[in-house]
Amino acid sequence: MPHDSDERRCRIVARRTGPLLVEGPVDVTLEDGTTVSSDRFCVALCTCRRSRTYPWCDTSHRSSGPPPVPHES
């Protein structure tokens, strides 16, 4: 998807065993259509679905170990 300028680009850092780190501020649209916002300069988005503050990461993934890796068929 082309961008009009670099100012509109958002940087996301993906880690295999942790959250997605997103440079903010951000608006996140959830699967039910609601939108949550953060004005922080960087936010951690939960990818393991264990967070009590989903979609924000609360580091719950640390105590439970990494989620299982799906097997490729």
Side-chain angles (χ1 to χ4, degrees), residues 2 4-5 7 9 11 20 22-24 29 31-32 34 37-39 48-49 56 60 62-64 70:
D4 295 329
S5 73
E7 292 177 26
R9 288 187 179 223
R11 186 164 65 153
L20 292 175
V22 182
E23 289 184 355
T29 302
E31 52 193 325
D32 66 1
T34 60
S37 300
S38 174
D39 291 327
C48 71
R49 307 284 288 194
W56 318 120
S60 293
R62 290 182 185 167
S63 61
S64 302

Side-chain angles (χ1 to χ4, degrees), residues 7-26:
E7 292 177 26
R8 294 182 57 182
R9 288 187 179 223
C10 175
R11 186 164 65 153
I12 299 172
V13 178
R15 297 185 178 170
R16 182 178 294 260
T17 60
L20 292 175
L21 301 178
V22 182
E23 289 184 355
V26 298

Side-chain angles (χ1 to χ4, degrees), residues 19-66:
L20 292 175
L21 301 178
V22 182
E23 289 184 355
V26 298
D27 294 327
V28 178
T29 302
L30 303 175
E31 52 193 325
D32 66 1
T34 60
T35 300
V36 293
S37 300
S38 174
D39 291 327
R40 296 181 59 135
F41 69 93
C42 185
V43 295
L45 296 178
C46 176
T47 58
C48 71
R49 307 284 288 194
R50 295 179 186 138
S51 175
R52 292 183 183 160
T53 60
Y54 186 83
W56 318 120
C57 178
D58 67 2
T59 68
S60 293
H61 62 275
R62 290 182 185 167
S63 61
S64 302

